[in-house]
Amino acid sequence: MGMVLADPAMLEKLAASMDRTAGEIPALRRKASELDVLSQVGHLSPLLSYLNETARELRKKARILRTPSESPFGALAQYGLPAGLARKPGAGKEFETGLKKVLAKFETAVPEARARAVKEYVEGLTPEQQAALVVADPATVGNLDGVPPPLRFAANRISIQRQYEKEKRLLERLPENSPAFARSLARVKALGQFLSPRIQKIVDPGTGKVVRREIPRQFLVFQPDAGSIAHSQSSPFADGKIAEVLGDLETAKDVAFRVPGVTNRLDNFQSFADGGVELLLNGDRVERSDGAVISWLGYDTPELGDSVDPAKAEVGGEELRAFRRGVGVNLRLDAKVGIFAHSYGTLVTSKALQAGMEDVDKVVFMGSPGLGPNIRSVKDFHLPNVRFYAMRAEGDTVSYTQGHGPDPADFPDITRLDTGAAFGHSQYYDGKAGAILGLRQVFAGQYDALKSTDSTLDEEMIGATEVRSLVGFLQERLTPEEVARLGGDIDPIAQGIVNGQMGFTDVSGPLYETLKDHDLLDKVPPRELFSEVNSLASDVAAKETYKGMLKGGSSESKALLYAGATKAASWGLAEVVTQPVEVVAKSTRAVNNWTQFAEVLAEGDLNTETWKKSLDKGSDAVTATIDLLNPF
């Protein structure tokens, strides 16, 4: 039976009843202690936890369902639009017809020309007529470039209210054990959040004091049925498209377009939107009055399984280019525009730039999987007046794997920004991790204050170089279509290595099974696969030994000696793990050979000339020693 969701008051009363019961338990425990029978009432502690947790969940669901019902006229009032004419039935039909004529006339025009024509038509109407148009066709007005932002905000609020009510009715009919219940509940919660005011912390221009105020949220795009359906059973709705504006878009001197990566949808949009708030804050965590941020989820983002396919980036790039040009008619002529792209969104941005999105001043690529195989430097964009920046946080597997081409953080002609204490793929907008400082400085045009970095993969994390090599090994043997077929199977393997959840010797089996499942073992023979994995595993072991011994106070020569011996031993052990029957003898010989080399090193017979030549070619100390001593 489905949960009765139509009465939040009932849920709150039930939660209050649980609170009263929970409040009596401490007194019962004290009484039991006085009577020396505390051991007989051990069930009271877990009961207290259950009551408290359940009461919290009931209140959470009640809050979701208490989103106020609002009429279209209430939505107009939220953005200062008059509702007089709009209240008359059919009053907006005339203006809706006029708008459709404009759209038909400019159907094949470039985005900015079409947007300017729309802007001219809508601004030619009186405020009352504009409001009537919003009520007559909110779905069109809310998503139409050229329409003044306040009108789009009001139109989308009307559409969100209607979608909220529709999806809430559907949710009420779903049993809690339905595969679609969790996603549907998340959608209803998200829609409710969109209708609720946000708290803005600003400096009052009149008093100069910092104040907090509730303001309605501002959505420039709302298309709940757009995009693909990630999982048909658990996702009864399409992923949706949505874009939110923070700040005054028409007066801002700095405007940021944020472009997200994979698995972003309407139901989890709030998490992405929170990053926009962080970007707009200054050092005192007060919102800038001269900036505007657009968190744009305006393309069909891929799931993990199809993130290696560039197809959605191609389409998304065209959509981003058109959106940027269309919105441009509502910006100040001297506004500085920045694109802040993350993950797969960097590929989308790359496609947009290559398709002609030239009207930007600065671009930041964060955690990029690559910008396409044809983009190997900033010069390849042929945009000399655009400032380009890149960020790669320590432990960011997406950047390490380079699934879509060279990592822009390694481009010779890009400015790579420091990421502070940010770790992994999702902390670039974290207010405490440090990377956000550089993003805010780029946004505000404070270029002289930027802090750059040039750390290598090995300096960031031992194993990162080998992860990149492993992915490159597979890409060399497979076509892009075959790589796409592997889907997201390789991604969790790479993440497991970087996160320390598995070693390189642990990945041989999963990789073998993945290639086998996709019928690709003819392209990547098991012997070659195991040999590559073993080689990379031994490199990791050597580097870990070298780093650990230096940290422990050993000399560099001793650390190099033991790193070399570790490489040999780990190679042998790795082969025993991956190919136990065929290579035991070879493994034993390898370890014995390395023992002899170690003895030579200990006696001071290291061929320093060969070692120095390797260093001169750009190798690090450990790699130079490996090159000198590797018997394979």
Side-chain angles (χ1 to χ4, degrees):
M1 179 179 177
M3 177 181 287
V4 179
L5 294 170
D7 190 0
M10 181 193 69
L11 298 181
E12 290 172 340
K13 286 181 180 179
L14 183 57
S17 175
M18 290 183 167
D19 286 341
R20 289 192 295 271
T21 303
E24 296 171 358
I25 290 178
L28 290 175
R29 286 180 56 83
R30 287 193 298 271
K31 190 66 174 177
S33 179
E34 294 172 2
L35 298 174
D36 199 24
V37 292
L38 190 59
S39 61
Q40 304 300 313
V41 292
H43 64 285
L44 290 178
S45 292
L47 176 60
L48 178 61
S49 297
Y50 168 78
L51 290 171
N52 287 333
E53 183 178 346
T54 304
R56 283 195 298 271
E57 287 301 314
L58 289 173
R59 286 194 175 86
K60 184 188 297 184
K61 291 176 180 178
R63 284 196 300 272
I64 294 171
L65 298 169
R66 274 198 178 281
T67 303
S69 178
E70 183 178 71
S71 71
F73 315 114
L76 294 175
Q78 291 281 350
Y79 304 97
L81 302 176
L85 179 61
R87 292 181 181 276
K88 296 181 180 179
K93 274 293 181 184
E94 175 188 350
F95 316 117
E96 183 183 2
T97 300
L99 179 60
K100 288 180 178 178
K101 289 180 179 179
V102 172
L103 294 177
K105 181 178 179 180
F106 287 85
E107 182 178 6
T108 59
V110 295
E112 56 267 49
R114 184 169 179 261
R116 291 192 184 283
V118 168
K119 183 173 186 287
E120 182 179 348
Y121 172 76
V122 176
E123 289 185 342
L125 304 176
T126 67
E128 290 77 10
Q129 291 171 335
Q130 291 175 346
L133 173 62
V134 167
V135 174
D137 192 358
T140 297
V141 174
N143 295 284
L144 187 58
D145 292 336
V147 173
L151 302 183
R152 292 180 72 168
F153 301 155
N156 283 324
R157 188 175 180 89
I158 293 171
S159 295
I160 291 170
Q161 178 72 53
R162 292 174 179 174
Q163 190 70 18
Y164 169 80
E165 293 170 354
K166 170 186 173 183
E167 294 196 18
K168 189 173 73 170
R169 289 193 296 271
L170 293 173
L171 179 62
E172 290 172 352
R173 297 198 294 268
L174 283 176
E176 286 188 75
N177 60 359
S178 166
F181 182 84
R183 181 63 61 81
S184 297
L185 181 61
R187 288 263 297 201
V188 170
K189 179 180 179 180
L191 292 167
Q193 288 176 317
F194 301 160
L195 292 168
S196 300
R198 78 177 185 91
I199 305 299
Q200 183 187 48
K201 184 179 178 183
I202 61 169
V203 174
D204 187 310
T207 65
K209 296 181 179 179
V210 175
V211 297
R212 294 175 181 271
R213 62 175 184 171
E214 289 188 351
I215 60 172
R217 298 181 68 171
Q218 304 178 150
F219 291 98
L220 207 58
V221 173
F222 180 70
Q223 299 174 358
D225 300 320
S228 57
I229 298 178
H231 306 286
S232 58
Q233 290 188 340
S234 63
S235 303
F237 306 100
D239 288 351
K241 294 181 179 180
I242 188 168
E244 182 175 17
V245 176
L246 303 175
D248 190 331
L249 194 60
E250 295 178 290
T251 64
K253 73 180 186 67
D254 293 311
V255 179
F257 289 70
R258 300 176 61 238
V259 186
V262 301
T263 70
N264 279 279
R265 306 175 301 270
L266 188 149
D267 60 273
N268 61 20
F269 177 77
Q270 186 58 51
S271 177
F272 173 57
D274 289 342
V277 177
E278 285 292 336
L279 185 59
L280 192 58
L281 298 178
N282 61 23
D284 297 323
R285 298 195 64 76
V286 175
E287 290 187 20
R288 292 177 53 190
S289 61
D290 58 351
V293 176
I294 304 174
S295 294
W296 179 78
L297 178 53
Y299 77 104
D300 187 14
T301 64
E303 296 297 306
L304 289 175
D306 59 346
S307 63
V308 293
D309 189 343
K312 288 187 176 180
E314 295 281 357
V315 176
E318 289 290 347
E319 291 173 314
L320 175 59
R321 181 183 67 87
F323 179 76
R324 162 63 189 98
R325 290 190 169 180
V327 169
V329 304
N330 296 115
L331 304 182
R332 283 172 43 166
L333 292 177
D334 61 346
K336 299 298 182 183
V337 174
I339 308 294
F340 294 76
H342 176 244
S343 191
Y344 192 88
T346 66
L347 183 63
V348 172
T349 299
S350 174
K351 300 297 183 183
L353 293 170
Q354 294 178 69
M357 188 177 69
E358 301 174 348
D359 41 0
V360 297
D361 299 281
K362 47 208 169 184
V363 177
V364 183
F365 301 117
M366 293 167 270
S368 177
L371 308 178
N374 61 317
I375 302 296
R376 310 187 72 85
S377 76
V378 168
K379 291 180 181 178
D380 293 333
F381 286 120
H382 305 291
L383 296 170
N385 297 321
V386 178
R387 295 173 181 265
F388 285 93
Y389 303 90
M391 281 186 170
R392 181 179 70 216
E394 179 181 314
D396 191 333
T397 315
V398 173
S399 287
Y400 293 162
T401 53
Q402 297 189 132
H404 289 284
D407 179 4
D410 294 327
F411 285 1
D413 53 352
I414 203 166
T415 300
R416 183 179 166 200
L417 302 179
D418 181 68
T419 55
F423 182 87
H425 191 55
S426 304
Q427 292 190 348
Y428 294 97
Y429 287 99
D430 189 317
K432 299 178 181 178
I436 189 66
L437 176 61
L439 296 178
R440 289 172 182 160
Q441 289 168 339
V442 172
F443 178 35
Q446 299 169 350
Y447 305 120
D448 292 339
L450 291 170
K451 182 180 179 181
S452 62
T453 185
D454 60 354
S455 61
T456 64
L457 294 179
D458 282 339
E459 289 170 339
E460 293 166 27
M461 173 171 286
I462 293 176
T465 299
E466 288 70 28
V467 166
R468 181 168 288 183
S469 297
L470 180 59
V471 173
F473 166 83
L474 295 172
Q475 290 174 331
E476 287 175 0
R477 287 158 178 76
L478 303 174
T479 65
E481 293 74 23
E482 289 167 339
V483 171
R485 278 171 49 199
L486 292 177
D489 294 342
I490 294 179
D491 184 64
I493 296 174
Q495 288 190 26
I497 296 171
V498 172
N499 295 336
Q501 297 173 345
M502 62 171 65
F504 265 92
T505 53
D506 301 320
V507 308
S508 299
L511 276 176
Y512 172 81
E513 291 298 328
T514 297
L515 292 165
K516 181 181 178 182
D517 291 344
H518 290 276
D519 197 24
L520 293 172
L521 288 177
D522 58 326
K523 296 290 189 70
V524 188
R527 182 176 295 276
E528 289 186 19
L529 173 65
F530 294 143
S531 178
E532 178 70 12
V533 170
N534 293 342
S535 176
L536 296 174
S538 61
D539 286 348
V540 170
K543 291 175 181 179
E544 288 176 339
T545 299
Y546 176 77
K547 181 178 180 180
M549 293 196 70
L550 287 181
K551 188 176 181 181
S554 297
S555 66
E556 182 174 7
S557 59
K558 187 175 182 180
L560 289 169
L561 168 63
Y562 278 85
T566 299
K567 176 177 172 66
S570 64
W571 179 291
L573 290 173
E575 288 205 317
V576 169
V577 171
T578 57
Q579 303 179 70
V581 178
E582 301 178 24
V583 300
V584 171
K586 181 180 177 183
S587 303
T588 303
R589 286 196 303 273
V591 176
N592 289 339
N593 288 344
W594 272 100
T595 302
Q596 293 173 16
F597 278 119
E599 291 172 356
V600 171
L601 280 173
E603 294 170 4
D605 291 336
L606 174 65
N607 187 335
T608 55
E609 290 302 319
T610 303
W611 188 67
K612 288 179 180 177
K613 288 180 180 178
S614 184
L615 288 179
D616 291 340
K617 293 179 181 178
S619 299
D620 57 43
V622 176
T623 305
T625 303
I626 289 170
D627 291 341
L628 174 63
L629 300 176
N630 191 352
F632 304 109

